[in-house]
Amino acid sequence: MPQLTLIGKFKKDTGIVMSPDELWSLYLYGVSIQSQDGTDFSNENIRFHVLKAQTEIENVLKIKLQKQLIEDERITYNRDEYWWQFPIIKTKWPVRSVETVIGMLNKIEQIVFPKSWFSYHNNQEQTNKRRISLVPTGAGTAIEGSGDMILAGITSQIGFQRFNAIPDYWSIQYVTGFDYDKIPFDVLDVIGKLASIGLFNIAGDLILGAGIASQSLGIDGLSQSISSTSSATNAGYGARIVQYQKEIKESLQRLKHIYGEIDFIVL
């Protein structure tokens, strides 16, 4: 019996939050990007602009959009924070759930805290905080070893009593990011507008052809001309670019209040 084998390329879990079709229908509707030989702008190139905008917004807001596991984030241990209050470990990214909190002296695993001790802020909007608190609960409430807490390598007294600070002591593993269908629309809107700006610049250069701002045709005393807003200092879609830039600036000011946190530095 004849058999047909098809081989195709595909990508899985690329982390992109907006497909090329969604970007085109929401922010580039009516715009055509086509070279003089009729070649359309590829979806791969559009994905690059979306991922670039996505990375930039993640860095500005200091968040991860795709739900992911932070496998080994290292944080300095400060003695005063441990002895005079329940420890509050400040993380780089907002915390959705905590997997492990381990005390490490260099590469020596010293102490492993039970999951029942982890306390963190979590809500339905997924606007979580950048912190993990250690609150002793259950049977393992003592510093000494128990069924809940595991001490290994060196005793805890060396790490907690002799030193005021231990660099990169805490090794934590936690989950951050949003569920795919829970990414906030205001964040997606900024990403879409930011990704569109680069595409508008390309489309504007190709309205009448690359590097052409106006065209004219004359036959036997009759003439016709056409021009665009493209020039040496202005893009063909300059008005929409300026409007998007204004909206992005205003949106980021609001989003920083929602997803950002004030950083305190002790000198």
Side-chain angles (χ1 to χ4, degrees):
M1 182 176 180
Q3 183 177 2
L4 177 64
T5 302
L6 300 177
I7 300 175
K9 293 182 179 180
F10 68 94
K11 292 183 177 181
K12 181 179 179 181
D13 297 334
T14 59
I16 193 170
V17 298
M18 184 178 298
S19 69
D21 290 337
E22 289 174 328
L23 180 71
W24 210 271
S25 62
L26 291 172
Y27 302 98
L28 296 164
Y29 184 77
V31 177
S32 176
I33 303 181
Q34 194 175 67
S35 64
Q36 293 179 349
D37 61 1
T39 304
D40 290 324
F41 201 70
S42 69
N43 284 340
E44 287 298 320
N45 292 336
I46 297 175
R47 288 191 184 94
F48 170 80
H49 285 273
V50 175
L51 289 172
K52 175 178 175 294
Q54 181 177 326
T55 302
E56 188 171 343
I57 295 304
E58 286 181 334
N59 291 335
V60 171
L61 299 179
K62 297 180 181 179
I63 60 175
K64 292 291 186 182
L65 295 177
Q66 185 183 29
K67 186 178 179 181
Q68 57 192 270
L69 176 68
I70 306 300
E71 295 185 356
D72 184 20
E73 184 172 315
R74 290 302 188 95
I75 300 172
T76 298
Y77 160 81
N78 293 302
R79 178 187 177 193
D80 292 341
E81 293 180 357
Y82 189 87
W83 284 109
W84 304 111
Q85 63 185 26
F86 290 140
I88 299 177
I89 302 173
K90 299 290 291 182
T91 61
K92 182 178 181 180
W93 310 105
V95 178
R96 286 195 58 179
S97 63
V98 184
E99 300 300 320
T100 59
V101 176
I102 303 174
M104 304 280 290
L105 285 177
N106 201 350
K107 296 182 180 181
I108 300 175
E109 185 178 291
Q110 185 188 22
I111 185 169
V112 180
F113 287 99
K115 278 193 172 184
S116 61
W117 286 32
F118 304 153
S119 177
Y120 48 90
H121 178 271
N122 204 342
N123 55 33
Q124 293 183 348
E125 293 78 15
Q126 300 182 10
T127 54
N128 307 317
K129 304 299 182 183
R130 295 176 172 84
R131 62 171 175 79
I132 301 171
S133 300
L134 296 177
V135 182
T137 57
T141 57
I143 297 296
E144 302 300 330
S146 68
D148 291 331
M149 180 184 292
I150 301 173
L151 298 179
I154 311 174
T155 63
S156 60
Q157 304 301 318
I158 294 179
F160 292 144
Q161 290 190 359
R162 292 186 56 188
F163 305 105
N164 291 327
I166 304 176
D168 302 325
Y169 179 78
W170 298 116
S171 174
I172 59 177
Q173 191 177 81
Y174 61 97
V175 176
T176 189
F178 299 87
D179 294 327
Y180 182 78
D181 57 345
K182 294 290 184 67
I183 298 177
F185 288 109
D186 48 4
V187 177
L188 289 175
D189 183 55
V190 173
I191 293 174
K193 291 174 181 176
L194 186 60
S196 300
I197 290 177
L199 298 175
F200 276 129
N201 284 324
I202 298 173
D205 290 340
L206 299 177
I207 293 176
L208 297 177
I212 300 175
S214 63
Q215 289 180 340
S216 61
L217 176 65
I219 301 177
D220 294 335
L222 298 177
S223 64
Q224 184 179 16
S225 64
I226 183 173
S227 61
S228 69
T229 58
S230 178
S231 67
T233 58
N234 189 47
Y237 293 94
R240 194 180 296 192
I241 291 174
V242 171
Q243 180 63 27
Y244 275 6
Q245 288 175 335
K246 179 182 177 182
E247 293 176 359
I248 290 171
K249 182 178 180 180
E250 293 174 352
S251 297
L252 284 178
Q253 290 177 350
R254 294 190 298 267
L255 292 174
K256 286 179 180 179
H257 291 293
I258 299 174
Y259 301 101
E261 291 186 357
I262 300 175
D263 294 329
F264 291 96
I265 300 176
V266 179
L267 300 178

